[in-house]
Amino acid sequence: MGKEVIVLDAVYYNLALISMSHKMTNKGRVRILYNSISDKPGDQLYPYLEVSHMFTFSCNDPTINLIKAQHQHMAGATYLVSKESLDAGKYKWEEVIGPPAVSTTTREIFGSIEADTVVIKIDVEGHECKALLPEILDQSTGKFVPYIFMEVR
């Protein structure tokens, strides 16, 4: 069986870069999913970049405003917030940088993978333990996970 790559991200910009890279190389099967990963499926979460706090000074300089605009695609500075948090005023709607991503679980993703061996690269900003459900790790899904790449802080 051939290799399969599934890319799941809740930041459009990341997916656009991966998609363009794949189009340039045209190697392998790549499935791109605009979702967030969670322990609960079906939540709508909005990609959010708190631009107003990136610069501590106020400036009408067009160059600074251009820099602010360019930083709207900084995936590492993007996090996900709920509609309830936005409606309650905890976050600003104008700092939402894309449409909502619907959460899915690793169980759902594993159910769509044909391969028996799965290598995981995960970066969910400290929520890896919630996203990696026990059945993913104990092989009860029928999938073998020899490696998990993740950032440890």
Side-chain angles (χ1 to χ4, degrees):
M1 175 173 285
K3 295 178 177 73
E4 179 182 9
V5 175
I6 297 174
V7 179
L8 182 138
D9 205 317
V11 178
Y12 260 20
Y13 188 69
N14 287 349
L15 296 177
L17 292 174
I18 291 166
S19 177
M20 287 307 297
S21 177
H22 182 252
K23 285 178 182 177
M24 291 169 71
T25 63
N26 201 30
K27 296 198 185 251
R29 296 182 332 182
V30 177
R31 193 164 24 132
I32 295 178
L33 306 174
Y34 180 63
N35 292 95
S36 62
I37 198 84
S38 178
D39 56 337
K40 299 181 301 185
D43 288 343
Q44 284 196 345
L45 300 168
Y46 292 79
Y48 184 83
L49 178 64
E50 204 163 10
V51 177
S52 62
H53 292 119
M54 293 181 69
F55 298 90
T56 57
F57 55 91
S58 177
C59 182
N60 290 326
D61 183 333
T63 305
I64 297 299
N65 292 330
L66 177 63
I67 292 170
K68 283 184 177 183
Q70 289 173 340
H71 282 290
Q72 287 185 340
H73 299 298
M74 288 179 41
T78 304
Y79 50 100
L80 301 173
V81 298
S82 68
K83 182 180 185 306
E84 294 76 24
S85 296
L86 288 158
D87 286 342
K90 186 175 178 186
Y91 301 100
K92 298 176 184 175
W93 275 102
E94 58 269 17
E95 292 178 354
V96 169
I97 60 169
V102 178
S103 66
T104 187
T105 65
T106 48
R107 180 186 310 111
E108 290 175 330
I109 298 300
F110 270 43
S112 72
I113 298 173
E114 294 178 19
D116 294 329
T117 302
V118 178
V119 175
I120 298 173
K121 188 276 183 192
I122 188 168
D123 182 2
V124 288
E125 302 304 320
H127 298 281
E128 286 78 5
C129 291
K130 287 176 84 176
L132 293 170
L133 303 172
E135 60 266 22
I136 300 304
L137 303 174
D138 69 12
Q139 298 181 32
S140 61
T141 61
K143 310 287 185 194
F144 174 58
V145 181
Y147 303 103
I148 299 174
F149 297 95
M150 71 176 132
E151 182 179 332
V152 179
R153 294 178 187 187

